Structures are given as C-alpha cells and as structure tokens.
C-alpha cells in the first residue's frame, strides 16, 4: 500500500501519518520528491485501515501495490535511486563505467588493467578474487590475497573497487576490502547470501540469474532491500536461450522494462552476455542507447594469457575504442560520464 500526500502537505502532516502507520507495526518507506511525497507501507498492510489513513490531513490518495516487490518498485519511489561511492555516482543520469579483469591473477596484471581502464575513463575497477567456475579443476581465484590487491589498487589508482562474493561465510571478509560487492548470476536466488549482503552498508551489484525472469530478479533485489540495504545495482548479463553462437542472449528489453518497474540503477555486462570480445562494443553502445546506467566490462592487459574468460576480455586498446564512442554518445542520451 502507498499513501500519496497532497502537494504542499506539511512536514507535521507527513510525520503524523508515518507515526500512525508505525504504531500499527509496519515499516515506513518515505520518498520525498520535488513534486510529491509518497509513504510506502512495508509489512502486513491488513493491520492498517484504509479509511483511517484517508482521514488524516494532507493525504491525497491511497494506492494498492499489486506487484510482489515493494521497496524496489517505482511506485514506491518515483525518483531514480542514485548511489554514491567515493564521489562516483551510479544511477539517474550518470553513465558509469566499470572495467577490469575477470579474475585477479597477480599484482602486475591487476595494476596494469587498473591503470589502463582508469586512463580511458572507468570509475570502478572490477576483478574477482573468488571465481564461480563450472569445473572444480579451473582456476578458482586468489582469495583474500586478491582482495588485498584490490584494496591496494584502490589506493594507488583512486578507483572504486568491486568484487564477487559467493558465500555467506565470505561476506564480512570481502566487505572489509572493497567498496561494492557483487552477487553473481549463479547466486541470484541464494536467499541466505542476499540476506547477508542486505545487512551491509555497501552497494550490491545484483546480476540477473541466467534463467531468471525480471520479476524473480526484482524479488531478489527485494530480499537485499528488506534487510535494510537499499543500494542495489541491477546488472543484466544475458540469459540462457536456445542460441549457442553467443555465450548468453543479452536481453536488451530488460533495460527499459526495469526502468519502468523499478527506481534502481541498471547496468549491463556485455562481456558475459556475449562471450565474444568482438561483440562487446556493439552491445555496449546498444546498452547506452537502451537507457542503461552503466557497463561492467572485462579488460585484460593480455587477454590471450588470461586464466579466465580470455575470449571475451578486451585489450586496453579495444576498451579505449569503445570509450571514444561512449563519450560521443552519452550526451545524446542526456547521460553524464
Ligand atoms: C563475473 O562478472 O565475474 C561473473 C562471473 O559473471 P556472471 O555471474 O554474470 O556469470
Ligand atoms: Mn568472467
């Protein structure tokens, strides 16, 4: 249920309504926009009588939210969520570039990647220390040593850093070293993990499950938000279809669809979506044109030597080449780099 206040409703009137709702044992989600104030009710709304709410001064109307996700719902919060980390903004009219290697392999590899992507305009350095590999015999990541290298790279290059967290037991350790944690596609419905990252005071990149519907994805975001963490960045990374030429099928429709349904930022991963480096540029530009709030791209100083996902990793030169176009296109989309 949401309560829409009249234009010009006073602070005292808003406070009265909120107190009444809280006294019924519900949580209040307040969205104070330029135009109007919206009070979202979270919890068992049967405990609140609609007529009673309507009788409060300043109340304009009461709407029922039919979708199962509330906190992530655009109806609850009409304005875009803009997340800020160390001065880097994600969401709204910001187009944020995140780039770096698939896996952190060594100091030299990570630092070379960091230097290059920073030079081209990336604001966030990506890199995994824990790798969810299909085969247990493949490189599994450097673990905490990798996290330490990320923290060093943050200091040295002045980049915001992000990494994947795969397990509830790693959450505190990972959060100690990075600015943004990422939940990968395979864990999108690991509800215990979602609840744990929901307790963090750091943004979470939530990748779309490879077979998840948009509704399931938003419900996963709701899990994180319902624990208190409202800083969720959705990431479209392609879904499984019958197609085998590409690694996944990039669902471009999800970008405008998510923006209609939710106020959360949505970024695109054109690397895992395609699995082919030559497809990364067209999909990056298409994502910007479709309204995405940013990209997360795999860049390796020497892709042919990569321990993971070399086929889809860009050389720094290829990344710069994409950035040349992004710099031209972003203003046309009213986006700020
Ligand atoms: C990644 O971004 O490193 C990754 C493993 O991606 P995904 O979870 O989308 O497969
Ligand atoms: Mn990868």
């Amino acid at each position: 249920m949401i309560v829409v206040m009249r234009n010009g409703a006073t602070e005292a009137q808003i406070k009265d309504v909120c107190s009444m709702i809280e006294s019924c044992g519900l949580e209040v989600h307040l969205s104070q926009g330029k135009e109007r104030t919206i009070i979202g009710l979270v919890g068992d709304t049967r405990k609140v009588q609609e007529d009673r709410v309507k009788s409060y001064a300043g109340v304009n109307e009461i709407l029922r939210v039919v979708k199962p996700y509330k906190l992530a719902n655009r109806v609850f919060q009409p304005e875009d969520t803009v997340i800020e980390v160390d001065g880097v903004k994600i969401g709204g009219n910001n187009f944020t570039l995140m780039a770096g290697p698939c896996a952190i392999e060594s100091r030299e590899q990570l630092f070379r990647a960091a230097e290059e992507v920073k030079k081209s305009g990336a604001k966030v350095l990506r890199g995994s220390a824990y790798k969810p590999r299909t085969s247990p015999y493949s490189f599994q990541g450097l673990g905490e040593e990798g996290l330490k290298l990320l923290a060093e790279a943050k200091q040295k290059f002045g980049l915001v850093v992000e990494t994947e967290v795969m397990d509830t037991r790693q959450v505190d350790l990972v959060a100690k070293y990075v600015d943004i944690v990422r939940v990968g596609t395979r864990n999108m419905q690991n509800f215990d993990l979602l609840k744990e990252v929901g307790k963090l005071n750091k943004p979470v990149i939530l990748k779309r499950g490879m077979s998840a519907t948009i509704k399931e994805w938003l419900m996963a975001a709701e899990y994180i938000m319902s624990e208190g963490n409202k800083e969720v960045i959705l990431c479209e990374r392609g879904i499984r279809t019958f197609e085998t030429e590409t690694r996944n099928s990039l669902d471009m429709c999800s970008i405008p669809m998510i923006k209609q349904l939710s106020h959360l930022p949505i970024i695109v991963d054109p690397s895992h979506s395609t699995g082919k480096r030559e497809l990364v540029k067209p999909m990056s530009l298409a994502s910007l044109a479709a309204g995405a709030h940013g990209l997360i791209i795999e860049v390796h100083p020497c892709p042919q030597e990569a321990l993971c996902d070399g086929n889809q990793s860009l050389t720094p030169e290829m990344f710069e080449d994409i950035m040349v176009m992004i710099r031209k296109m972003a203003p046309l989309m009213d986006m700020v780099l």
Side-chain angles (χ1 to χ4, degrees), residues 101-103 126 128 131 207 247 269 271-272 298 308-309 312-313:
C102 176
R126 67 146 285 147
S128 299
K131 290 303 307 168
K207 294 192 113 180
R247 184 171 176 177
D269 174 346
S271 307
H272 293 88
E298 287 185 343
C308 186
D309 287 348
Q312 67 194 35
S313 298

Side-chain angles (χ1 to χ4, degrees), residues 8-50:
T10 64
E11 285 296 324
Q13 289 170 338
I14 295 165
K15 206 163 151 239
D16 279 352
V17 177
C18 291
S19 311
M20 186 272 290
I21 293 163
E22 279 163 352
S23 73
C24 297
L26 276 92
E27 223 182 279
V28 160
H29 178 87
L30 195 60
S31 165
Q32 279 179 300
K34 282 187 211 92
E35 298 284 304
R36 58 181 188 173
T37 294
I38 287 172
I39 303 169
L41 281 65
V42 187
D44 184 359
T45 49
R46 287 172 306 184
K47 292 183 193 155
V48 183
Q49 283 178 322
E50 252 183 78

Side-chain angles (χ1 to χ4, degrees), residues 127 129-130 143-144 147-148 150-151 161-183 193 197 200 202-203:
Y130 298 94
E144 188 171 0
L147 298 176
K148 286 182 180 159
L150 262 184
V161 294
E162 73 82 67
T163 201
E164 175 160 359
V165 61
M166 294 208 306
D167 192 298
T168 51
R169 291 166 295 186
Q170 291 165 353
V171 172
D172 289 338
L173 181 73
V174 167
K176 203 169 89 182
Y177 291 104
V178 300
D179 304 300
I180 302 175
V181 299
R182 164 168 34 95
V183 173
L193 182 61
V197 297
L200 291 177
K202 304 209 159 181

